[in-house]
Amino acid sequence: MMCGVAVSRGFAEYCAEQLGAAGQVRQKRMFGSVGFYLDDVFCALIGDSGRLFLKTGDSNRADFEAHGCEPFKPFEDRDMVMTYYEVPEHVLDDSDE
């Protein structure tokens, strides 16, 4: 279970706005984090670290890694990672990206 400080409502709204350029966005709060659905597909989350992570696949994971992005780690005391990678700040701040 992810535990920590609740995600800022303002940051969650900002992320939803940025993701909205790609389709209809819906947020769901869970375990102090926020999940994002884009056209009813779970695609992103804000972890308790307060950072936005996007779902990756074989076709785009290398792009995230090339920018030095880290995978989402739901448990700090375990080595487990998920296929969600942190969005670089310059991308989050530029809706065209």
Side-chain angles (χ1 to χ4, degrees), residues 61-75:
R61 189 172 301 117
D63 295 329
F64 284 83
E65 291 170 341
H67 283 301
C69 300
E70 305 253 337
F72 179 65
K73 191 174 177 185
F75 306 101

Side-chain angles (χ1 to χ4, degrees), residues 31-82:
F31 307 113
S33 299
V34 176
F36 293 93
Y37 294 81
L38 185 59
D39 295 331
D40 294 323
V41 175
F42 192 83
C43 67
L45 60 89
I46 300 174
D48 62 355
S49 65
R51 298 178 292 164
L52 177 67
F53 294 82
L54 291 179
K55 176 80 170 160
T56 64
D58 293 339
S59 66
N60 67 350
R61 189 172 301 117
D63 295 329
F64 284 83
E65 291 170 341
H67 283 301
C69 300
E70 305 253 337
F72 179 65
K73 191 174 177 185
F75 306 101
E76 287 301 319
D77 60 342
R78 297 184 194 165
D79 291 333
M80 182 179 107
V81 295
M82 297 176 71

Side-chain angles (χ1 to χ4, degrees), residues 67 87-95 97:
H67 283 301
V87 177
E89 275 189 49
H90 75 277
V91 172
L92 185 58
D93 291 338
D94 183 351
S95 59
E97 286 286 323

